[in-house]
Amino acid sequence: MSKFKFSVGPWNVHTGADSYGPETRQPIDLETKFAKFAELGFSAIQFHDDDAVPDMNNMTEEEIKEYARGVKKLLDKYGLAAEFVAPRLWMDPHTKDGGFMSTRKEDREFALWRAYRSIDIAKELGTDLIVLWLAREGTLCAESKSPVWATKQLVDAINKMLEYDPKIRVCIEPKPNEPIDRSICGTMGHVMAISAATIDPKRVGGNLESAHAILAGLDPANEIGFALAFDKLFTVHLNDQNGIRYDQDKSFGVENLRQAFNQVKVLAENNYGSKGEYVGLDVKAMRTTSDEDSYEHLKNSLAIFRALEDKVARYDYDYANKLIADRKFEQLEMYTMNLLMGIQ
Ligand code: 3MF
Ligand code: MG
């Protein structure tokens, strides 16, 4: 029995389209996904603002809230909570050159409008968490914006969100690149610095995604640990990634089991979840996956996480600490490998 609660986003079950080819699976409606997520053992749903309220750009503020109340009823029907709402700025024509850091004032205003509406939706869905994946907040052309100006724009935008609602928490999901070439806020270190520069650092934290850390050439477990050390790991996006290439969102642990083990280990050792945090997945099915296997990657990720949780529970800390005291790191490494290989 896992001691963690799990969350997932509706985009994690998708039609298989990529930049080079069309859909390979049929779309599935939100309610069908909710029912299946609940059946698989998820407790909460992660939302983009327009996952919850699809036509929001053409709706009034009141209409948006009213629609969100309907989604809350649907969540309740399946015993699910909402974990967070994330403004999906990267899809919109207004924000093709970024939102909070766009060089055009009207785009920045639109981005803030979506951020405020995301807060309204979050409140209706019963969560205080806003995630900012800063997809296009950076440059395709390096000279197109000043990194100093852009960084300050981000701090200002977050401050406005914190002022808009006194309870809301803002959580940045850092990523070094893709879809932009150079990101302004690429790692958990950047997130901690941004947090410290805001008007209420306690309400600004991070969402560590394993694949994003790997894309930055960093170790996901250490990135998780870095945020935990400042009490600012508000959520995680666990998945896996084969080195520094396009963002793959593979099932958790399928690429590097030891690295996955160390992510579970650092979460478990630091009682992640004790303040209500969820273990969020951000995984994609392979493009070749069939309709009937649309949820396999989620099942696999959960199964791997739980198996690794079990390995952590069986980790012999007395033995490990003795090896550490004696600097017998070859033996410590082999102990860990044997545990993972099932030899221990
Ligand atoms: C991109 C991501 C995103 C965000 C999600 C929530 C589609 O690399 O990880 O997943 O996690 O949009 O903001
Ligand atoms: Mg993510």
Side-chain angles (χ1 to χ4, degrees):
M1 189 51 195
S2 179
K3 68 170 191 157
F4 294 99
K5 290 183 303 177
F6 298 91
S7 67
V8 63
W11 65 87
N12 284 177
V13 173
H14 62 108
T15 53
D18 65 18
S19 322
Y20 302 97
E23 289 79 10
T24 55
R25 290 179 292 276
Q26 293 302 312
I28 299 173
D29 65 78
L30 200 62
E31 177 159 6
T32 309
K33 288 183 186 179
F34 282 3
K36 192 69 184 175
F37 291 155
E39 184 194 317
L40 290 176
F42 289 97
S43 320
I45 305 296
Q46 315 164 2
F47 287 93
H48 294 125
D49 50 0
D50 57 359
D51 287 326
V53 185
D55 194 28
M56 62 183 292
N57 276 354
N58 302 315
M59 291 162 77
T60 65
E61 295 172 20
E62 231 1 272
E63 284 167 348
I64 291 172
K65 289 186 198 170
E66 178 58 32
Y67 193 96
R69 285 192 276 275
V71 179
K72 171 78 170 96
K73 286 202 185 102
L74 205 57
L75 285 170
D76 291 345
K77 180 172 168 193
Y78 294 97
L80 293 162
E83 186 195 10
F84 66 67
V85 178
R88 182 150 42 189
L89 297 177
W90 56 96
M91 287 285 193
D92 203 282
H94 292 93
T95 41
K96 70 175 179 192
D97 186 32
F100 310 123
M101 302 177 194
S102 166
T103 47
R104 296 199 182 161
K105 188 164 177 280
E106 62 269 30
D107 297 350
R108 294 199 299 275
E109 282 166 3
F110 173 78
L112 266 181
W113 184 83
R114 287 283 291 255
Y116 294 150
R117 299 297 74 75
S118 294
I119 294 171
D120 294 346
I121 295 169
K123 288 171 75 178
E124 295 299 342
L125 297 182
T127 176
D128 64 355
L129 193 61
I130 299 296
V131 164
L132 301 180
W133 170 46
L134 302 166
R136 298 191 193 279
E137 309 291 13
T139 54
L140 292 172
C141 171
E143 297 78 18
S144 65
K145 58 190 77 160
S146 151
V148 176
W149 173 86
T151 304
K152 290 182 177 173
Q153 285 302 122
L154 178 59
V155 175
D156 278 359
I158 294 173
N159 283 342
K160 289 198 174 96
M161 294 169 69
L162 297 172
E163 277 166 356
Y164 179 75
D165 185 282
K167 292 258 162 56
I168 211 81
R169 294 179 301 141
V170 177
C171 177
I172 302 176
E173 181 179 333
K175 186 176 182 184
N177 59 277
E178 203 189 9
I180 34 89
D181 178 28
R182 291 166 166 85
S183 157
I184 294 293
C185 185
T187 70
M188 211 33 107
H190 293 83
V191 174
M192 294 302 109
I194 295 283
S195 167
T198 64
I199 54 172
D200 196 356
K202 281 193 308 302
R203 290 199 283 145
V204 183
N207 171 11
L208 194 279
E209 173 157 328
S210 325
H212 297 178
I214 296 164
L215 286 171
L218 296 170
D219 177 70
N222 278 10
E223 286 282 273
I224 287 173
F226 190 73
L228 283 170
F230 296 101
D231 213 9
K232 287 195 196 307
L233 188 70
F234 291 177
T235 188
V236 290
H237 264 177
L238 298 188
N239 56 19
D240 215 344
Q241 167 77 25
N242 175 21
I244 301 177
R245 59 188 75 209
Y246 67 97
D247 184 9
Q248 298 179 310
D249 296 336
K250 290 186 173 204
S251 294
F252 181 61
V254 297
E255 199 56 41
N256 187 334
L257 204 53
R258 184 179 178 188
Q259 199 167 255
F261 169 73
N262 283 318
Q263 291 172 68
V264 180
K265 185 166 173 284
V266 72
L267 291 171
E269 285 172 357
N270 291 282
N271 290 319
Y272 178 82
S274 59
K275 288 186 297 247
E277 306 94 324
Y278 292 93
V279 171
L281 298 180
D282 195 1
V283 293
K284 276 200 187 85
M286 296 177 210
R287 188 164 188 268
T288 43
T289 297
S290 62
D291 288 281
E292 66 268 25
D293 287 340
S294 286
Y295 297 85
E296 282 305 299
H297 61 302
L298 292 174
K299 280 191 215 161
N300 293 348
S301 297
L302 285 178
I304 292 170
F305 184 96
R306 287 174 172 141
L308 290 176
E309 200 186 335
D310 185 51
K311 296 282 182 193
V312 173
R314 288 173 40 214
Y315 198 74
D316 187 343
Y317 281 90
D318 289 341
Y319 180 59
N321 286 337
K322 169 117 187 41
L323 294 177
I324 292 165
D326 296 340
R327 286 207 181 145
K328 294 218 170 264
F329 298 149
E330 302 288 357
Q331 289 86 338
L332 179 62
E333 179 167 81
M334 201 56 200
Y335 166 67
T336 307
M337 295 312 293
N338 279 336
L339 185 73
L340 290 176
M341 291 188 293
I343 294 171
Q344 204 85 274

